Structures are given as structure tokens and as C-alpha cells.
Amino acid sequence: LQFSTDAANWSTWDGTTTLQSVNNVLYLRGSGNTKITGGTSEKWVITSAGEVSCDGDIRTLLDYEHPDSTIMGSDCFKDMFYGCTSLETAPELPATTLEDNCYESMFHGCESLVEAPELPAKTLKRECY
């Protein structure tokens, strides 16, 4: 995964350090990934005194250059925003084929989520939503 605060200068993130936004903006992208979280012990912890918005195609965390051809592994985004009470806007979930547990409990406990994302997938495996 890579991160940026200006969408021009990117740094590699190993997942072990805390990332900080600048002016409440943080960009993330990835390449060569098939899984990002995978369970409550791997969920993202987002802290904010205000609202949190996640915009764009979530598949760009897997491969930002070719999101349409990404392969999502089992548990790919499972529990990703679990318990993020300040999340108000969800990312796009445009994948049409999902593996086991792919989006399971992704928004569990997201009390401030104003609108659920569209779920266009037609090829579904076990417990993918």
C-alpha cells in the first residue's frame, strides 16, 4: 500500500505505523494485493474528532492502475471499518464477483454511515456481504 496527502507524492506504508492526514485528507492506493484486512484483529482503526468520508473505488487498494481486473481473495475487506462510528461516507464497492467473506461485517457498528454503497455483485460466494 502507498499513501499520500496530496495525491502527487506517494510513500510506501507497511501497515505498522499510524498514518496522519493533512488538512483532513489522506489518499491510499495499492498494487499486487488480493486482501487488505481479513478480520477484526486486522481491521483499520480510524480516529477522528469529526466525520470520516472514504471516497472512490475500494479496489484501488488492491491495484490502483487496473481496478477492473483485480482479484479479490477470501476475507479481502472483511471488518475493514468495523466499529468506525465516525464513518459517514462509504467507498464504492463496484466488484461484480465476490469471494468468501469478502465484505463481511465491513460496516458493522458504523453508526454514522448515511447511505449504504451500491452492491452490484451477481456472482457471490459464502457470507460475502
Side-chain angles (χ1 to χ4, degrees), residues 10-64:
W10 294 90
S11 299
T12 299
W13 181 48
D14 64 6
T16 63
T17 58
T18 300
L19 298 179
Q20 299 287 325
S21 65
V22 172
N23 296 321
N24 296 317
V25 175
L26 181 65
Y27 300 94
L28 299 169
R29 69 183 188 185
S31 61
N33 299 308
T34 60
K35 179 178 170 184
I36 297 298
T37 52
T40 53
S41 64
E42 299 169 337
K43 69 179 180 143
W44 288 15
V45 178
I46 300 172
T47 56
S48 173
E51 70 181 55
V52 173
S53 294
C54 292
D55 303 317
D57 184 341
I58 198 161
R59 299 174 303 171
T60 60
L61 295 175
L62 303 175
D63 187 344
Y64 75 94

Side-chain angles (χ1 to χ4, degrees), residues 46 50-56 58 81 84-93 106-107 110-118:
I46 300 172
E51 70 181 55
V52 173
S53 294
C54 292
D55 303 317
I58 198 161
F81 299 105
C84 182
T85 57
S86 57
L87 182 68
E88 290 190 3
T89 305
E92 298 166 22
L93 307 178
M106 186 176 192
F107 302 112
C110 294
E111 304 166 352
S112 300
L113 193 58
V114 177
E115 185 176 327
E118 290 185 37

Side-chain angles (χ1 to χ4, degrees), residues 98-116:
L98 300 179
E99 293 299 321
D100 291 338
N101 311 98
C102 195
Y103 295 142
E104 182 185 353
S105 299
M106 186 176 192
F107 302 112
H108 180 87
C110 294
E111 304 166 352
S112 300
L113 193 58
V114 177
E115 185 176 327

